[in-house]
Amino acid sequence: MKNKHLILALLMSVIFGAGWVFAKAALDYFPPILLAAFRFGVAALILIWFVKPPRGQMREIMMISVLAITVPYAMIYTGMKELDVSTTILLVQLEAPLLILLGAMLLREKPGLRKSIATLISFLGIVLIAGDPDLQGSTTGILWVLGSILTWAIGQIKIRKLGDFGGLRSLAWISAFATPQLFLVSTIFETNQIALVVHADWSIWATVIYLGIAMTAGGVGIWYHLIGKYPMAFVSPFLLLVPVTTILGGVLWLGEELTIMASLGGAIVIAGVGMVIIDRPSQKTMAVLDDNKG
C-alpha cells in the first residue's frame, strides 16, 4: 500500500473510532434517535448533490433505509446511552461474523471452515462481554446494541442485492430516506426536541457536524476509495484499529473503566473478526499490485 493510502487508512480508523466517542458524549444532551436523525441528515445534505438519483429504485431504497439506518441506529444509540462506549464498540465487532452467517443463510455463500471457526470464536467473545458482572444491570442496553447489529446486517444484505449501485450513491440516498423516518420516530418516542435544539451550544452542533461529515461522509468515503484501489484483505484489517481508538477515547476523555472480563471478551472478538477479514492475498493479487506500484 502506498504511503498516502496508508495514511488515509489510519486516518479512517481514527475518524470512525473518535466518532463513537463523540456520539456517546452527545447522548448526554440529545436523545438517541434525534441524534441519529441529525447525523444522517447532515450526511445526506453533503452527499446527495454528487450522486445520481435512484430512478426506478426509490421504493426499494426507502425500504432498505429502514433496515440499514433507521432501525439499527435508533437502537444502537439507545443502547449506547445505557452502556459505556468501550462496551458498545466491542459488541459492534460482531457485525463482520454476523454478515458471514447471514450471507450463508440468505445468499447461500459458503464461508469455509476458517471463517466458520472465526465466527464461533467471535460469538464466544460476545458471551464473555455480556456475562461481565459489571454489565448485569445493562441487559437492556446490550440487547438494543445486538438487535441493531442484526438489523444492520440484514440491511447490508439487502444493499448487496441492489447490485452495482455504487457505495456513496447508496449511502447518500439511504441517508436521505432514513432522515425523515428518524425525525418521525423521534417525535413519537422522544420529547422536548425543540427546546433541546434551540438551547444546544456550539459543542453539540460541532459533534453533529463531525458525525455527519467526518464520520459518515468522510470516513465511509475513504473506505470506498481504498477498497476501489486495493483488495479487501489489505484494507479491512485497519477496521480492527477502530475499537482501539474508541476504547482509548472512552477511557481518557469520558473517564470510562474497561473491566478485565470485557477486555478478555473484546480481545477474543477482535481475534475472531481478524480471522474473518484478514485473508492471505493470492500470488495473482500480489502480481497485480506490483504492476500498479508507482
Side-chain angles (χ1 to χ4, degrees), residues 82-216:
E82 183 177 332
L83 300 172
D84 286 348
V85 69
S86 302
T87 303
T88 303
I89 195 63
L90 291 176
L91 293 173
V92 166
Q93 300 313 298
L94 192 59
E95 288 175 348
L98 192 55
L99 279 173
I100 298 291
L101 181 61
L102 289 176
M105 294 171 59
L106 302 179
L107 300 177
R108 297 182 179 180
E109 297 177 341
K110 296 180 180 180
L113 180 61
R114 175 181 172 177
K115 284 185 169 59
S116 298
I117 294 174
T119 299
L120 179 60
I121 291 173
S122 297
F123 276 104
L124 291 176
I126 294 300
V127 171
L128 274 180
I129 295 171
D132 189 335
D134 288 353
L135 295 177
Q136 292 307 300
S138 305
T139 304
T140 303
I142 292 174
L143 290 176
W144 277 120
V145 173
L146 294 179
S148 76
I149 295 168
L150 176 60
T151 309
W152 177 87
I154 295 172
Q156 303 313 299
I157 298 294
K158 295 289 187 182
I159 291 174
R160 182 167 180 179
K161 288 183 176 180
L162 286 176
D164 188 19
F165 188 76
L168 285 179
R169 188 182 179 200
S170 297
L171 177 64
W173 284 100
I174 291 172
S175 297
F177 279 112
T179 299
Q181 296 168 17
L182 286 165
F183 277 120
L184 177 60
V185 175
S186 175
T187 301
I188 295 172
F189 293 104
E190 298 173 337
T191 60
N192 204 34
Q193 292 94 329
I194 295 178
L196 289 171
V197 169
V198 170
H199 295 101
D201 62 27
W202 67 269
S203 63
I204 298 297
W205 292 119
T207 298
V208 168
I209 292 172
Y210 181 93
L211 293 177
I213 297 179
M215 187 178 186
T216 307

Side-chain angles (χ1 to χ4, degrees), residues 12-18 20 89 93 237-247:
M12 174 191 70
S13 302
V14 173
I15 288 172
F16 283 149
W20 287 102
I89 195 63
Q93 300 313 298
F238 288 95
L239 295 179
L240 295 177
L241 297 176
V242 175
V244 177
T245 304
T246 302
I247 291 170

